[in-house]
Structure formats: C-alpha cells, structure tokens
Amino acid sequence: MISGKTETYVDNKRKDDVRQANIMAAKAVADAVRTSLGPRGMDKMLSTSSGEVIITNDGATILLKMEVLQPAAKMLVELSKSQDIVAGDGTTTVVVIAGALLKQCIALLGKGVHPTIISDAFHRASLKAVEVLTSMAIPVELSDREALVKNASTSLNSKVVSQYSSLLAPLAVDAVLNVVDPARPDSVDLRDIKVIKKLGGTVDDTEMIKGLVFDKKASHTAGGPTRVENAKIGLIQFQISPPKTDIEQNVIVSDYTQMDRILKEERNHILGMIKKIKATGCNVLLIQKSILRDAVTELSLHYLAKAKILVVKDVERDEIEFISKTLNCLPIANIEHFRAEKLGQAELVEEVSVGDGRIVKISGIKNMGRTTTILVRGSNQLVLDEAERSLHDALCVVRCLVNKRFLIAGGGAPEIEVSRQLGAWAKTLQGMESYCVRAFAEALEVIPYTLAENAGLNPITIVTELRNHHANGEVNTGINVRKGQITNILEENVVQPLLVSTSAVSLATECVRMILKIDDIVTVR
C-alpha cells in the first residue's frame, strides 16, 4: 500500500513566479539609473505631473521622483534613500550593485539553489567585502585639506556642474570644517550649513558667507532703514499688532467716540511695545511668521521705521534655531521678556541686491556660532537646483570623512579588488556557499564595467585588463575615464571616503536578501 505522502503535490511555481517578478521589477529600476553612473554618465530629465522639469544625475533624486508602483521595486528607491542618509554620495552605485546581485540571483535560482542559502552566503560575502575595503583604506587627517578637497571634487565630477568642481569642492570642505565642533570632533550636523539659492549670475558666483543671509527684503514701509551699523539684533516670536480674540466674534460699535478710543488703544498698545524694544537699544528686528494674525501691521511698521529699526519679517519657524545659533542670541517669545542680554550683536546689517532680487546680509557677528551660509547662484532654475544637489553630495562626502577618517581609491579599483579577493576566498569554501560567493564577486564587477561602458570604452577589454593589474598586486589601479585607459587612480586624485563604499555594499546586500526571501505578495484591501 502506498503511503499518503506521495499523493501530496506542492505547487512551487507560484512562489518562483512571484520571486521572478520581484527581481525583474527591481532590476528594471536599477537599469534605469545605470547609465547615469560615473563622470561620463548621462543625465536624466524628469518631467513631473505638475509640468515641472528636473535635470539631474543624482541617483536618489531620480528614483525619488520616479513613480514606482511595484512593491519590490519600491525597495530599491528606499535603498538609495538610505544610502543618501548614511553617506550622501554613491546613491547610483548602491542601486547598480543591487541590480547586479539580483541578476546573479536569477542564475542561481535557475540552478535550483535555495533562496535562504543564497541569502546567507551573500551576507557572509558582504561582511568579507567590507573587511577587504577597510584593509585597502588610507587614513586621512582633517588638517589635510588637500585630501578632503580631492574627495569632494571626485564626488562633483559625475554631476552636471562638474566644470565648477574646482570652485565648489574647496567651498564644501571649508563649510564643513567651519561647523565641526571641537567638543565633538566626529560628528557634523549638516543643518548648520544653510544653502540659499538665488537666480542670476553663473555658478562661478557661488560664495560662502561668514555671517547670516536672509532670502528676503527688509521692510520698506514708511521709509525704514536698510543699513544698520553696530546692530543689536532681536529675534522675536510674538506679534507687534493689536490683540485679537481667540474666537471669531464681532464687536458692534455704535458711537464714534468709542471707535476713536479703540483706535487710540491700538496705537498705544503698539507704541508701548515699540518703546520697550527701543529701550534695550535694539535696532534690528527679525520677526517670525505668524499663523494666527498678522505679525506686523502697517501701523506698527510705520512706528518701527520712525524708531529707526530695520525689520525683516516672515522669518520661517524652522529657521529660528539656525538664526539663534548663528547670532548667539535667544528667541524672545513675549514682549515682557525683551531684554538687552537676549540680543545678538553684529557690525553690519544691510540689504544687498543680488541678481533680480534683494537679500539681507548680516556680517561681523560677535561670538558667532559654528554655522555657515552658502549662497548658490545659477543662470536658470534647473542649473541652480542641480548645483544645490551636487553641493549637498559634496558636503556629505566631507562629512563621511569626518565621521570615518579613511579614504580609498575610486574609478572601480576597490570593486575589482574586492571581487578578486572574494573569488579567491570562494575557492576555500565548500558546497553551495562557494558558488554563491563567487556570484557575489562577479556581481561587483558591474561598477567598473558600467564606468567603462558609460565612457564609451570597450568594457570587456578594460575589466579584463583591470583584473590582470590587480592580480599582480596593483591594488589602486582603476579606470581613468578622462584618458580612456587604466592608470593608478590614487595618483590621479580620484578618491572617495571609505564609508561610501562600505555602506553601498552592505545596504545593497541587505536589500537583495530581503527581496530574495519574499515568496508571495498578498494584497490587503
């Protein structure tokens, strides 16, 4: 008699189909960004539903704006976002590596390897890869400004604004070094660097400003001052306007004398406030935007102008922290608390015309906090936005170096080296694991392959030659895209922070392992 066991038939086809579909969708996303990798990579033009056009080379931005519907492909978008948070640069690299690993997974699954085995082997391989990268790294000191600038310019070389890298790279380095706190030398908060965009001029006119800049005009009502020397600056969060009831209600006034009295009271109320402000010697007021009622009225602006106080109104709420840190003053929430010791001091506050608009510039701040402002200029909105994104990447690269003070060569050199060492390591392993590790090693070759392809070189020749050089122990040999040949990349000053590469490998592996382990998609209505 046959036992009941042979009768059961398990349908694995569906699970394989779901896995295939997931991998294919994620690979399609990776292939879309692949062409924009490297200094010779192409740019993407994104047209949003609202008719806005964005031209960019930044992997994270491209994927963020793509409307990806497939859940597994969405994971790749999240992947580039997390690389953007951890390292800031290498957002395209991480997606391309993930795509290559998925391609290897299809081949392995086709041979009947179980997904869990692939997943575990990949995990071990990624840990080993991070070890190899760390052993290649060269320590760097923050005092070595030249090395930091090389890093930043390598990051900028693959962007639309690459011709300005000689200007933007030192700018990014100085900005980050300005905000490094000696008390906590390992961390940089990029919120302390404010980037302001102004249309007009070219990217060449971008400058770093010691001080504070508001992308607003000073209030010109009733002829208030637009330039104040030896300024005492008050940052207020209350309104200089007649008080209003909390609920909507009408007061019916039947008599002219009562109406007069209301207006007089309003005037006295405002005058009283302004006298208190003037008494502390304050001559510049920054007024926070108010939601409940007007922060300032025509009347109060008129009195402020008479008192010779320069007013910048509508300061955004989220800028308050940055401003108080820079000016070394305290935000004042109530007129009763308005005292001289809460004011910030600066040598000069003036309104300057820039491009087609005006900005208020505060310079010569006493006891200035550790913050920096960068004013980015550009001839049109697209260039301006792209310059800001590229600058952000460069700032992140310098921040990576502050966090982890090691750098490695760029130009595909580390990937080939890791691939070679993992290949050698795979030969010492047994069984399925050695297959999977070898597949992982092959997948990493996608980076130099794509770099060569985007530069219009012959990828197969280049990658083979690279392997040959690395086998002879030339660890820092990479693709020199400019000369179209293989050279020692370190001497060409193409370097990147260790953190960018290590986080790219480990994040990509993590993402691929998650996609591999999904065997069914259940839609919940």
Side-chain angles (χ1 to χ4, degrees), residues 52-185:
E52 183 193 359
V53 175
I54 301 170
I55 296 176
T56 181
N57 195 307
D58 182 40
T61 313
I62 298 170
L63 291 177
L64 205 62
K65 301 285 180 195
M66 263 191 196
E67 302 232 338
V68 182
L69 297 174
Q70 218 273 355
K74 270 190 185 151
M75 285 165 64
L76 279 194
V77 179
E78 294 298 318
L79 169 70
S80 78
K81 210 189 282 178
S82 54
Q83 171 77 359
D84 201 25
I85 294 166
V86 175
D89 199 23
T91 44
T92 319
T93 312
V94 72
V95 178
V96 172
I97 291 178
L101 288 172
L102 288 169
K103 193 173 170 187
Q104 294 291 347
C105 288
I106 294 179
L108 289 169
L109 290 169
K111 287 178 185 159
V113 186
H114 194 276
T116 319
I117 295 177
I118 302 179
S119 165
D120 292 345
F122 273 13
H123 182 56
R124 280 190 62 185
S126 80
L127 293 178
K128 179 80 177 167
V130 172
E131 265 175 48
V132 174
L133 285 170
T134 317
S135 67
M136 286 174 65
I138 307 154
V140 62
E141 282 304 316
L142 283 191
S143 51
D144 182 5
R145 183 164 175 270
E146 205 171 294
L148 300 181
V149 173
K150 281 178 198 169
N151 264 296
S153 58
T154 303
S155 157
L156 289 166
N157 275 340
S158 62
K159 305 280 185 264
V160 183
V161 290
S162 58
Q163 68 266 34
Y164 300 112
S165 64
S166 56
L167 166 82
L168 294 178
L171 206 92
V173 172
D174 293 340
V176 173
L177 292 183
N178 269 351
V179 299
V180 175
D181 191 357
R184 290 174 309 156

Side-chain angles (χ1 to χ4, degrees), residues 208-229:
M208 189 169 82
I209 293 168
K210 271 288 221 191
L212 195 59
V213 170
F214 292 97
D215 193 5
K216 298 180 180 64
K217 296 193 295 199
S219 156
H220 288 281
T221 323
T226 55
R227 176 190 165 100
V228 175
E229 288 180 13

Side-chain angles (χ1 to χ4, degrees), residues 521-525:
I521 296 180
V522 183
T523 332
V524 185
R525 285 274 179 274

